[in-house]
């Protein structure tokens, strides 16, 4: 079982619609969580951190459920420019073997159509 | 942009050859992490350098090695290249390491024939 799992998609979304997708993680020692965005053949770029209380950044809302070990990303009012692969990222606390590394999921592809 | 640069942008090698990839970290950052991203996959952690010392390693064989220099730039060396080493190699810089936001360079696309 992969440590960070994502639905690969693609999620085909009409412009202006809402799309949401999840990411599950298996390591309960996971400390911090992020969503990165990656455009085709480009480097990943930080989209937002994910906090236990949930957080919003414009049209993007991220949620964390530690009990069920998943995080989610919701995109409202989708724009054509939101078409990308969204990578779920987990990090670990100091003192663990995995401290310092980002653990990525394989990504969820979102395609926003006119 | 992140201020993280990588060179070269593209590279073609043949099996058995050796390759060196370079990364310049963002000003003020003292930690560089390297990742390998195969087609259709998320980036996989190779190793991290903090103040010129290796600070964690992923599940990669010893033929993947690295260096960090006093100016915090870094190199990734891969010996005895295999076809499966074909991937996008990303470096990411951060401050102090360990969970802080990491900023990625544009990557080096390596093709092994």
């Amino acid at each position: 079982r992969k440590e960070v799992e994502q639905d690969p998609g693609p999620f085909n979304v009409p412009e202006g619609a809402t799309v949401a997708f999840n990411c599950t993680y298996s390591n309960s020692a996971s400390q911090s969580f992020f969503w990165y965005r990656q455009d085709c053949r480009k480097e990943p770029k930080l989209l937002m951190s994910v906090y236990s209380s949930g957080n919003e950044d414009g049209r993007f809302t991220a949620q964390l459920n530690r009990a069920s070990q998943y995080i989610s990303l919701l995109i409202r009012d989708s724009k054509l420019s939101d078409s990308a692969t969204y990578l779920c990222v987990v990090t670990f606390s100091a003192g663990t073997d995995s401290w310092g590394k980002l653990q990525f999921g394989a990504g969820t592809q979102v395609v926003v159509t006119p | 942009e992140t201020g993280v640069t990588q060179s070269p942008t593209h590279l073609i090698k043949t099996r058995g050859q050796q390759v060196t990839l370079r990364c310049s970290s963002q000003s003020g950052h003292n930690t560089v992490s390297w990742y390998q991203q195969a087609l259709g996959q998320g980036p996989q952690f190779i190793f991290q350098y903090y103040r010129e010392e290796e600070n964690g390693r992923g599940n990669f064989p010893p033929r993947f090695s690295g260096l960090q220099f006093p100016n915090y730039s870094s190199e990734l060396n891969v010996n005895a290249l295999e076809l499966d080493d074909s991937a996008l190699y990303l470096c990411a810089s951060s401050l102090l390491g360990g969970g802080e936001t990491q900023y990625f360079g544009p990557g080096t696309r390596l093709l092994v024939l």
Side-chain angles (χ1 to χ4, degrees):
Chain A
R1 182 185 174 189
K2 292 182 180 178
E3 293 200 42
V4 181
E5 294 205 59
Q6 296 184 250
D7 182 341
F11 284 69
N12 294 298
V13 187
E15 198 174 3
T18 295
V19 61
F21 41 89
N22 292 341
C23 159
T24 59
Y25 61 94
S26 60
N27 191 333
S28 58
S30 302
Q31 180 186 35
S32 301
F33 307 87
F34 305 89
W35 284 104
Y36 276 71
R37 170 198 169 121
Q38 187 171 30
D39 294 302
C40 187
R41 303 180 72 82
K42 299 283 190 180
E43 73 274 22
K45 294 185 179 179
L46 178 65
L47 179 66
M48 58 196 301
S49 303
V50 187
Y51 304 118
S52 296
S53 55
N55 50 297
E56 194 173 302
D57 182 0
R59 298 181 292 107
F60 297 83
T61 301
Q63 296 278 352
L64 166 63
N65 185 317
R66 282 192 183 271
S68 300
Q69 297 188 189
Y70 74 86
I71 68 172
S72 64
L73 182 66
L74 182 145
I75 308 173
R76 285 186 304 278
D77 188 22
S78 297
K79 310 292 184 190
L80 296 176
S81 57
D82 294 334
S83 296
T85 295
Y86 291 85
L87 297 163
C88 169
V89 177
V90 171
T91 68
F92 304 90
S93 54
T96 64
D97 288 344
S98 298
W99 183 67
K101 79 173 187 181
L102 301 182
Q103 184 118 51
F104 285 83
T108 295
Q109 186 183 8
V110 172
V111 179
V112 181
T113 55
Chain B
E1 297 304 327
T2 63
V4 181
T5 61
Q6 291 187 244
S7 63
T9 55
H10 296 81
L11 204 52
I12 301 175
K13 292 284 189 178
T14 55
R15 265 189 315 177
Q17 285 189 309
Q18 177 267 341
V19 68
T20 297
L21 309 181
R22 295 179 176 83
C23 171
S24 291
S25 58
Q26 187 178 115
S27 177
H29 284 181
N30 55 16
T31 303
V32 173
S33 305
W34 286 92
Y35 295 82
Q36 179 197 66
Q37 186 175 22
L39 199 60
Q41 301 297 317
Q44 298 294 309
F45 177 74
I46 303 174
F47 42 55
Q48 182 182 83
Y49 280 85
Y50 169 63
R51 292 189 172 184
E52 303 178 60
E53 297 286 331
E54 188 177 289
N55 182 46
R57 190 180 180 92
N59 294 326
F60 281 81
R63 60 190 184 82
F64 285 78
S65 63
L67 283 174
Q68 187 179 32
F69 301 99
N71 66 356
Y72 303 130
S73 66
S74 178
E75 285 183 356
L76 164 65
N77 299 290
V78 187
N79 294 322
L81 284 166
E82 300 176 0
L83 298 180
D84 284 349
D85 296 333
S86 296
L88 177 67
Y89 288 85
L90 296 158
C91 82
S93 84
S94 57
L95 185 59
L96 298 179
E100 290 83 2
T101 302
Q102 297 188 13
Y103 297 90
F104 285 85
T108 293
R109 200 164 294 276
L110 172 65
L111 177 61
V112 182
L113 301 175

